[in-house]
Amino acid sequence: MKTRWSVAVALAVLSALAAGTMAPASAQNPLVVGASISQTGRLAVTAVYVHQAYQLWVDDVNARGGLFGRQVTLKVYDDKSDPGTGVKLYEKLIVDDKVDLVVGPYSTPVTAAASTVTEKYRKVMVAPMAAGDALWKRGYRYLIQTLTPSSLYYVGVVDIAVERGLKTLALFSEDSEALRVTIPAVVDVAQKKGLTVVHNEYFPRGTTDFSAVLTRIKALRADVLICGCYEPESVLSVRQSKELDYSPKLLFAGHGAAVPEFYKALGKDAEFVLASDHWDARMRTPGNAEFVERFKKKFGREPSYHAAGTYGGMQVLEAAARKAGALDQDRIRQALVELDIQTVFGRYKVNETGAQVGKTAVIVQWQGGKKEILWPGDTATGSARLPAPPWAERR
Amino acid sequence: MMWEPVLWGQLLINGVMLAGLYGLLALGLNLVFGVMRVINFAHGELVMLGAFVTFWGYTAFGLHPLLALPLSALALFALGWVLQRLLLERVLGGPPMAGLLVTFGLSLVVINVGLLVFGADIRSIPVVTGSLPLGGFVVPRARGLAFLVAVTLTGLTVAFLKWSALGRAIRATAQHPEVAITCGVDVRRTRLVTFGLGAALGSAAGSLLMVILPMDPQSGSFLILKAFAVIIIGGLGSVAGGLLGALVLGVAEVFGAFFFSTVFGEVVAYVLLLLVLLVRPAGLLGVAER
Amino acid sequence: MSRPVPMTHGWAVILPVVAVVVTAAPLVANNYVLSVLIPMLVFTALAYAWNIISGYTGYLSFGQVTFFGIGAYTAALLIIRLHLAWPLASLAGGLLAALVAVPLGWIMLRLRGPYFAIGMLGLSRIAEKVAFAWDSVTDGGRGLYLPPVLDLRTVYWAVTLVTALLVGLTWLLDNSRFGLTLLAIREDEGGADNLGINTTRAKLQAFVVSAFFPGVLGGIYAWHVSYIDPVTAFATQVDLTAIVAVLLGGAGTLWGPLVGGVTLSLLAEFLWARFPFVHTGLFGGLVIVTVLFLPKGLVDAFRRCGWMAPGRTFLRRLAAREAALQPAPGTP
C-alpha cells in the first residue's frame, strides 16, 4: 500500500513540474510578438543580429506609442536551427503563450516546419529570413516573404562576369536547401549568357577542407569561382584559395562573405572578393541611415543584412497591421498582399502566394575594407575592380 | 586531367597538410583514452577553448598564436586537472558509459559558456596566410606549420612517455594500475596529470586551428568525430599511431575528394574507420587486446 | 532491505488507469502539450529500443540513429512519391530499417565494447553522408517537404502505441528465455558460446529489433515535423538523448527508460522554455549531476527510498532460479 501511494506522490510531483512548464502565460495587456531565433545550432552566428533587430524594432515602435495603443513586447525561444524544435516552438507561441503576432524563423528548413503550424492556425507569419522558393509553392496562404527568393540570390554575378568578358565558371556550394535552388538558377543564367561551367559540386555541411576541389578548379583554370556558402566556408574558401595559389579573376564567396566578420577573419585577403548581399548600410532606402546609427549606438556594431532584413520585415508587419486597423489575421494578410512599400531593407512587394517579387539581392565587392555595391546598376556605389590581382602580386 | 602526376603531387601535399590538423586533434584524445579508457566527448570543446584563449591573446595583447600556444596550453592544463579531479575521478570504475556521458554533459556546458562569452560569430586570426612555393607545388604556410607542430608534439609526447619518470608512470597506470600502485606510483595524481596533458595538447591544436579555420564556439563538436576516426585508424592509445592515422586519413580524404567528390572525401574517414575496426581493430600501431 | 513485495494485484489497478489517462490525454491537452509529448514519447521509445541491444545484450551502440534516419527517409519518400498513408509508410520505414540491419548487424556485431560503439557512430556518419550524396533519391541537402499534419492526436496515439509495445516487449524479455540469453551474452559471451548458445543469432535478433522500432519512429517523426534532411535524420544528438534517458532512468530495469525519458523531456522542456539562452548549458549540467549522483538511475533511487518496490529484475530471477536448482544440502 505504501508503495502505491509513493508512486502516486512521484507522479504528482512530475505532473506539477509538467504543468509548471506548460502553463500558459498569464493574460497581459502588452501586445506580444512571438518569434524564434537560432540561438544554438548551425545558424547561431546570424541569430544575434536577428535578435538585436527585433529588440531595436520593439524599442522603436514603443517610442512611437506602440501598436494600437498597446506597448509591444517580444517573446523569443531558441529553435536550435532544428525544424522539429520549430514546430513545437510555434505551437507554444500560438497555443500556449497566445501571442498576438508571430514572425518567422531564420532559414528555410525551420520555416518549412514552423509554417505548417502557423498555416494550421491561420496565423499570418512574416518570414523575414526565409528565402526558399519552394516554401511558396505549397499553396499556403499565411506565409509572407520579405527576403529575395533563393533563386535570385547570385544571378547578378553573371552579369558582372559577362561585362568583364570572363568565360569559364566553377562552382562549389554547401548542400543545403537554399543553395540547392540558388546554384541551379545561377548555372542556368550563366549558360544562357554564354559562360561555360567547368565544375559544379556540393559539399556536405561541416566540411573543413577544400584543397581537393580547389586543386581541381585551379587546374581547370576557371575565370570565375562561385562558392555557395555561409560564413565559415566563405572564409575558408578564400583562405585556401590563397594557400593553393589559385587566383580566379573573379572570386565570389557567397552570401557568407557579406558580413563584417568575414573581413575581420581574413584581413586584407578579403579584398576584391565579391559577395551576395541583400542590403548595405549606405543604401539610400528610407530611414536607413538612422537605423544604422541607432543599431550601432545600441549594440556597438554595424548591422548585417540579417539585422536589416529582420527590421525591415517588422516594418512591413507594422505597416500591414496599421493598414488593417486590427489584429485580425485575415485582414493583416490581405494588407500584406496589397502593400508595396520601401523599408530600410529595400522594396517590399509580394504576389498572391506571399512570395517576394519586389526585392533583389545586391552584389558587392570588398574594396579598401568596405563593401561597394556593384549590381544592380541603379543602386551601385562603385565599380568592379576586376580582374582581381593574383595572390602573388598582392602585398 | 585526373591522371596527371603533377596534380597528384599537390594532392599529396594537401593530404599531409590536412593530416597535420587531424594529428593535432587526435593527440590529446589518444592520451586520455589510452590511459583512462575514457572517451572524452568534451575534447573538441577543450580544443575550442584553447583556440579562443589564443584568439583573445591576439586581439587583446597582439600575441602571435605561436607565442600564445604555450600560455594557452598551460591554462588548459590547469583546467583539465581540475575537471579530472572534480568530475572524472568520480566516475572511475563505474558503468562504462558514465565517463562518456559526463564529458558529453561537460561539452554542452562549455559550448553554452563559449556562446555567451564570445558570441556565435566565427573568428580567425589572419596571420601566416598563403603558401611557400616548392618546385612546381605550393605548401600552405599555416597548415604546414600545424603539421610541423603536430610532428613535434607527437615526438615529444612519445619521448616523454618512453623516457621520463612521469611518462613511465603514465604508461604503468594505463597498463596495470594495480601493479603500478604497488610500485609506488601515485596513480591518482598520474591520472590528473594525464587529463591535464590531454587538455593542454588539445589547446595546442586549438591555437593552430584558430589560424587555419574559422572557429566558433560550436566548432568543436564537428571536429571531434574525425578525431575519433583518426585514433581508431592509428590504434587506440598509441600516440605515434595517432599521427600515422592522421596521415592515412588526410591523404585518403584529399584523394577521395579529388577523384570522386567532396562528399565522398567526407565519407572516407568513416569508411576507413569501419574497415580498420573490422579487419584490424587494434589499428595500425595499436596493441591488440581482448 | 525489504522483501520483494508481490505487485501482481497492484498492477491490475494501476495499469488500466494509466492506459485511460494516456489515451484520453490528447482530448484535453492542447497542441503545444502534444507537440511536447510526441517527441518525449519518441525518445522514450528510442530509449527502450536502445536498451534491448545495449542494456540487455551489452553491445553499447552509438549509432542506432542510422535506422531512425533510414525509417524517416523511407517513410517520407513513400508519403511524397507514392502518397502512402503515414502509418503504413512508417511501418515500411521500420521494415526497411530492419532489413538493412541484418547485413549491417552481421558485420558490426563482430566488434566489441568501445569498438562497437565507435563503429556504430561511424556507420551513422556514413549514413548521413549517403543521404547527402544520393541526391537523385533524397534531394540531398535540400531535404524533403511533407504534407502538413492536421491532427496531432493521431500522431500522439501512434507513438504511444509504439512505446507501449516496447514496454511490453521489454517485460517479455524480462520473463523469457531469450532475455536470459541476451543477458548471458552481456555477462560472458565466450561462456555463453561454450554452452552452445547461438550467440550470433541472438545478437542479430536483438540488433534487428533495436533497428525496427527506431525505423518506425523515424517515419512518424518525419511526418510530425513535415520536413526531413540528412542532418536532422541522422543527428548524433538523437542517440545521445536516448542514452541519457536510459541512464537517467536506470539501465537494465523495466521502467527505467520510461522514467528517464519522461523526466528528461520535461526537464529539457522546462529549461528551454524558461532559460532561452542558457538551456544548453543547464541541460549539460543536469547530465553531469545525474551521472555523478544517480549512477544507477532514478528507478534505483526510487527503490532505495521505498517509492518503488524492488523489481523482479533479471538477476533476481536468475538468482531465484539458481537457488531452486541447487541440490539440497547433503545430497551427493
Side-chain angles (χ1 to χ4, degrees):
Chain A
M1 301 312 117
K2 177 193 171 197
T3 334
R4 260 188 275 160
W5 281 117
S6 311
V7 173
V9 166
L11 280 175
V13 168
L14 266 177
S15 313
L17 191 67
T21 309
M22 299 183 217
S26 55
Q28 293 171 25
N29 195 31
L31 196 155
V32 186
V33 174
S36 72
I37 54 163
S38 306
Q39 194 250 337
T40 54
R42 167 169 96 88
L43 304 161
V45 183
T46 51
V48 183
Y49 281 116
V50 169
H51 190 220
Q52 289 171 335
Y54 281 136
Q55 289 171 310
L56 187 65
W57 176 80
V58 167
D59 286 349
D60 288 348
V61 78
N62 284 336
R64 282 195 285 275
L67 204 53
F68 303 132
R70 297 157 67 182
Q71 288 288 291
V72 176
T73 59
L74 196 63
K75 192 123 188 78
V76 159
Y77 297 111
D78 174 14
D79 64 31
K80 305 193 215 176
S81 314
D82 167 50
T85 311
V87 167
K88 174 181 68 165
L89 195 155
Y90 282 86
E91 288 280 1
K92 181 160 175 62
L93 284 174
I94 295 174
V95 168
D96 207 43
D97 299 320
K98 296 196 179 32
V99 298
D100 298 289
L101 294 170
V102 283
V103 279
Y106 181 86
S107 92
T108 306
V110 183
T111 309
S115 56
T116 61
V117 174
T118 53
E119 187 75 10
K120 180 172 66 174
Y121 293 111
R122 295 210 250 271
K123 279 289 244 223
V124 73
M125 176 155 84
V126 170
M129 285 286 119
D133 304 57
L135 289 173
W136 282 274
K137 300 213 168 85
R138 296 177 296 172
Y140 286 20
R141 294 189 71 241
Y142 290 90
L143 191 64
I144 302 291
Q145 183 178 34
T146 61
L147 204 57
T148 316
S150 301
S151 48
L152 297 177
Y153 264 24
Y154 292 179
V155 292
V157 189
V158 177
D159 282 347
I160 298 176
V162 165
E163 195 194 324
R164 293 298 169 125
L166 301 172
K167 295 269 177 270
T168 50
L169 170 62
L171 307 98
F172 70 93
S173 324
E174 182 181 305
D175 195 349
S176 64
E177 210 286 342
L179 288 161
R180 280 263 179 184
V181 174
T182 310
I183 298 298
V186 166
V187 167
D188 193 49
V189 169
Q191 285 171 330
K192 286 205 178 98
K193 298 210 172 171
L195 289 169
T196 316
V197 174
V198 299
H199 189 75
N200 184 7
E201 75 170 272
Y202 291 99
F203 59 85
R205 189 201 297 181
T207 306
T208 50
D209 181 50
F210 297 129
S211 62
V213 65
L214 281 171
T215 303
R216 176 193 291 268
I217 294 178
K218 178 182 174 187
L220 289 168
R221 300 186 200 290
D223 288 333
V224 179
L225 174 64
I226 291 186
C227 179
C229 45
Y230 297 87
E231 296 76 18
E233 289 79 27
S234 298
V235 171
L236 194 60
S237 62
V238 174
R239 188 173 246 145
Q240 286 200 290
S241 295
K242 181 175 177 187
E243 282 174 1
L244 291 166
D245 198 24
Y246 166 53
S247 308
K249 302 203 176 85
L250 194 167
L251 204 173
F252 174 84
H255 44 288
V259 292
E261 282 67 33
F262 172 79
Y263 198 92
K264 281 194 221 145
L266 284 173
K268 290 246 184 58
D269 290 342
E271 292 284 324
F272 303 104
V273 171
L274 277 79
S276 164
D277 207 346
H278 294 266
W279 169 90
D280 188 79
R282 288 167 300 156
M283 268 164 79
R284 274 190 288 271
T285 45
N288 200 18
E290 294 83 10
F291 161 69
V292 173
E293 270 316 300
R294 284 202 305 282
F295 194 96
K296 273 208 316 227
K297 205 158 139 220
K298 191 167 158 109
F299 300 111
R301 64 173 176 178
E302 258 202 19
S304 69
Y305 79 76
H306 318 94
T310 305
Y311 190 89
M314 297 313 285
Q315 286 184 297
V316 168
L317 183 60
E318 186 187 344
R322 291 196 200 279
K323 182 168 174 193
L327 281 176
D328 178 274
Q329 298 294 306
D330 285 292
R331 290 195 15 207
I332 298 184
R333 185 217 170 250
Q334 192 55 35
L336 281 166
V337 170
E338 288 168 3
L339 273 179
D340 180 352
I341 59 171
Q342 290 273 359
T343 67
V344 302
F345 193 52
R347 187 163 171 233
Y348 164 86
K349 180 172 163 57
V350 296
N351 64 19
E352 248 304 304
T353 68
Q356 180 63 219
V357 295
K359 176 96 185 67
T360 57
V362 296
I363 306 293
V364 300
Q365 184 179 34
W366 285 97
Q367 296 177 2
K370 295 209 303 236
K371 288 182 289 182
E372 295 293 340
I373 302 177
L374 302 181
W375 182 98
D378 51 352
T379 57
T381 62
S383 61
R385 287 209 206 142
L386 292 171
W391 294 110
E393 282 171 31
R394 298 195 210 182
R395 170 53 201 89
Chain B
M1 192 250 302
M2 297 234 293
W3 307 104
E4 279 171 40
V6 170
L7 270 180
W8 295 11
Q10 184 61 51
L11 289 174
L12 189 63
I13 293 177
N14 295 343
V16 171
M17 294 297 102
L18 189 57
L21 206 156
Y22 288 155
L24 280 174
L25 281 172
L27 204 50
L29 200 61
N30 228 346
L31 193 63
V32 168
F33 186 87
V35 175
M36 290 176 297
R37 286 289 181 273
V38 168
I39 299 178
N40 181 9
F41 232 78
H43 187 70
E45 276 61 52
L46 295 172
V47 170
M48 181 271 290
L49 279 179
F52 272 89
V53 169
T54 311
F55 179 77
W56 176 69
Y58 179 78
T59 48
F61 305 109
L63 268 181
H64 191 279
L66 276 183
L67 291 177
L69 192 153
L71 299 171
S72 173
L74 215 61
L76 265 286
F77 177 87
L79 181 65
W81 178 290
V82 168
L83 287 173
Q84 174 72 23
R85 182 114 184 343
L86 289 181
L87 292 178
L88 291 162
E89 283 292 306
R90 304 179 67 143
V91 296
L92 269 180
M97 276 283 181
L100 198 149
L101 285 174
V102 164
T103 53
F104 167 61
L106 185 65
S107 72
L108 291 180
V109 173
V110 175
I111 289 178
N112 209 150
V113 169
L115 281 172
L116 289 173
V117 172
F118 297 109
D121 293 318
I122 43 137
R123 319 283 180 140
S124 202
I125 301 179
V127 296
V128 199
T129 57
S131 54
L132 286 170
L134 189 73
F137 307 114
V138 286
V139 177
R141 281 216 181 94
R143 291 187 185 223
L145 182 63
F147 182 73
L148 285 175
V149 174
V151 171
T152 310
L153 283 179
T154 305
L156 282 176
T157 311
V158 170
F160 167 77
L161 285 175
K162 200 161 178 185
W163 287 312
S164 78
L166 188 55
R168 280 199 297 270
I170 291 178
R171 277 189 295 136
T173 312
Q175 287 161 20
H176 289 289
E178 323 81 29
V179 177
I181 295 176
T182 61
C183 289
V185 174
D186 185 343
V187 171
R188 185 150 171 268
R189 193 161 151 272
T190 310
R191 285 195 299 257
L192 296 175
V193 170
T194 310
F195 199 81
L197 272 179
L201 288 168
S203 164
S207 298
L208 284 160
L209 279 176
M210 211 16 133
V211 179
I212 299 175
L213 296 175
M215 298 277 287
D216 72 75
Q218 293 177 110
S219 302
S221 27
F222 275 115
L223 300 167
I224 195 75
L225 294 169
K226 291 276 181 72
F228 279 129
V230 166
I231 65 177
I232 296 271
I233 294 170
L236 278 174
S238 163
V239 173
L243 191 60
L244 195 57
L247 277 167
V248 168
L249 183 59
V251 173
E253 224 182 85
V254 171
F255 274 88
F258 183 82
F259 282 102
F260 297 98
S261 69
T262 310
V263 62
F264 184 85
E266 288 294 298
V267 177
V268 157
Y270 306 109
V271 171
L272 276 181
L273 168 75
L274 282 181
L275 274 176
V276 166
L277 282 177
L278 293 168
V279 170
R280 196 192 143 90
L284 291 169
L285 294 183
V287 175
E289 57 174 294
R290 202 241 151 240
Chain C
M1 192 158 100
S2 49
R3 266 178 302 124
V5 176
M7 286 287 285
T8 35
H9 303 300
W11 289 129
V13 173
I14 289 189
L15 224 46
V17 169
V18 169
V20 166
V21 166
V22 158
T23 328
L27 301 173
V28 291
N30 64 31
N31 271 342
Y32 164 58
V33 172
L34 286 180
S35 67
V36 173
L37 290 178
I38 290 171
M40 174 199 293
L41 288 166
V42 167
F43 281 108
T44 305
L46 284 174
Y48 272 103
W50 184 83
N51 205 21
I52 296 177
I53 185 63
S54 302
Y56 280 93
T57 322
Y59 275 77
L60 299 174
S61 167
F62 235 163
Q64 292 310 94
V65 73
T66 309
F67 305 109
F68 181 83
I70 290 177
Y73 264 99
T74 309
L77 287 168
L78 286 172
I79 294 173
I80 296 173
R81 309 245 197 269
L82 295 181
H83 303 293
L84 208 61
W86 65 269
L88 269 176
S90 303
L91 202 62
L95 286 171
L96 188 65
L99 210 63
V100 172
V102 174
L104 282 179
W106 195 74
I107 299 175
M108 299 302 292
L109 288 164
R110 295 196 206 168
L111 304 168
R112 304 282 170 89
Y115 299 104
F116 176 75
I118 294 191
M120 288 304 298
L121 177 67
L123 197 66
S124 71
R125 294 308 88 213
I126 294 180
E128 189 207 47
K129 307 301 179 201
V130 167
F132 269 117
W134 200 9
D135 51 3
S136 52
V137 168
T138 63
D139 248 351
R142 183 130 181 240
L144 297 170
Y145 290 85
L146 286 94
V149 178
L150 294 169
D151 191 356
L152 282 179
R153 292 178 298 181
T154 47
V155 181
Y156 170 82
W157 282 318
V159 287
T160 310
L161 183 64
V162 174
T163 309
L165 275 175
L166 277 166
V167 177
L169 194 64
T170 309
W171 185 86
L172 268 180
L173 271 186
D174 251 356
N175 291 285
S176 73
R177 197 195 174 94
F178 184 62
L180 267 176
T181 310
L182 294 182
L183 263 198
I185 294 177
R186 183 183 82 188
E187 297 300 318
D188 185 352
E189 187 165 345
D193 255 332
N194 289 341
L195 284 175
I197 298 177
N198 191 340
T199 55
T200 314
R201 195 175 64 179
K203 281 191 302 193
L204 198 56
Q205 283 168 337
F207 189 77
V208 169
V209 169
S210 287
F212 170 74
F213 285 101
V216 173
L217 289 162
I220 299 178
Y221 190 76
W223 170 251
H224 170 62
V225 180
S226 306
Y227 175 81
I228 194 87
D229 68 12
V231 179
T232 321
F234 295 101
T236 324
Q237 280 286 69
V238 172
D239 273 325
L240 286 169
T241 311
I243 296 173
V244 173
V246 174
L247 243 92
L248 176 64
T253 64
L254 178 61
W255 297 111
L258 182 65
V259 170
V262 169
T263 315
L264 195 71
S265 294
L266 286 179
L267 276 167
E269 182 64 18
F270 174 74
L271 291 174
W272 173 83
R274 295 278 187 259
F275 303 103
F277 292 95
V278 289
H279 65 91
T280 313
L282 287 176
F283 183 76
L286 180 75
V287 170
I288 293 176
V289 163
T290 310
V291 176
L292 288 184
F293 296 110
L294 285 173
K296 293 226 181 90
L298 281 171
V299 168
D300 179 78
F302 287 162
R303 284 185 184 149
R304 280 186 279 130
C305 292
W307 282 10
M308 272 176 84
R312 290 158 63 77
T313 55
F314 237 106
L315 292 175
R316 269 178 198 283
R317 293 198 86 221
L318 209 61
R321 255 193 201 188
E322 258 300 274
L325 289 174
Q326 288 296 351
T331 345

